[in-house]
Amino acid sequence: MSETAPESPAQGDGQSTTTQSTTEDQTTTEDQTTQPETDWKAEARKWEQRAKDNSAAAKKLADAEAANQTDTERITALEKELAESKAAALRAQAAAEADVPVALITASTEDEIKAQVKALKEWLGDKKPGGNHVPREGRQTKPPKSDDKKAFADFLTGQG
């Protein structure tokens, strides 16, 4: 389309500009009607299917990467697990020999464990964890009352 400057009312009649703008409106309306309407449900189904396909491909990729883990990585993981097991066994053995709780021993090497157990023994000294101490256990502080019924009633009411 070629652009023409709109004519001023003094140069020509007012009908020619109206006819020209009406023709432009019809052209844009025809362009809009020729475009098909989008089926949004179909588009949603299409993208949902693509997402499912992509998630399945991502899972296959993760499985393949796990299967292709190198031998050195596997060996490293197993060595780490073995070291942790040995340390746990050493802690349990040292705790049993020293008669201290295993939870207090946090070291991981044999030398560190021995040093920690030695420090715990020095700290405990001759103190051994014992039960509750009740002073005057088994002793009566008041002589028994002669009337058992009265003593029982006093006991229930809190007077005795």
Side-chain angles (χ1 to χ4, degrees):
M1 259 195 193
S2 63
E3 287 188 24
T4 58
E7 296 179 16
S8 65
Q11 290 177 345
D13 61 340
Q15 278 185 333
S16 64
T17 55
T18 309
T19 308
Q20 187 178 14
S21 64
T22 307
T23 309
E24 289 176 13
D25 290 342
Q26 288 176 351
T27 307
T28 56
T29 314
E30 288 174 7
D31 290 342
Q32 289 174 354
T33 56
T34 57
Q35 294 177 349
E37 286 194 30
T38 306
D39 184 12
W40 293 110
K41 286 185 179 182
E43 289 292 317
R45 283 189 217 105
K46 177 177 79 174
W47 287 106
E48 181 180 6
Q49 185 60 40
R50 285 185 184 176
K52 286 180 182 178
D53 294 343
N54 286 341
S55 68
K59 185 174 186 244
K60 285 180 185 177
L61 177 64
D63 292 342
E65 287 176 353
N68 291 334
Q69 185 182 21
T70 64
D71 290 336
T72 56
E73 291 173 341
R74 288 184 206 154
I75 290 170
T76 305
L78 290 173
E79 285 175 347
K80 182 180 177 183
E81 186 178 337
L82 178 64
E84 290 173 359
S85 301
K86 283 184 178 180
L90 286 172
R91 283 193 291 269
Q93 182 182 5
E97 289 173 1
D99 197 27
V100 294
V102 177
L104 295 178
I105 303 172
T106 58
S108 58
T109 64
E110 188 173 357
D111 294 335
E112 291 173 347
I113 290 172
K114 286 180 181 179
Q116 216 173 26
V117 167
K118 183 180 176 184
L120 282 170
K121 278 186 173 181
E122 288 174 5
W123 180 75
L124 278 176
D126 290 334
K127 298 184 268 181
K128 293 285 181 185
N132 294 336
H133 174 67
V134 179
R136 296 186 240 165
E137 182 179 9
R139 297 185 189 163
Q140 283 187 333
T141 56
K142 295 182 183 177
K145 295 186 179 182
S146 61
D147 186 28
D148 290 336
K149 291 180 184 177
K150 172 112 171 86
F152 182 69
D154 289 343
F155 173 74
L156 288 177
T157 59
Q159 296 175 4

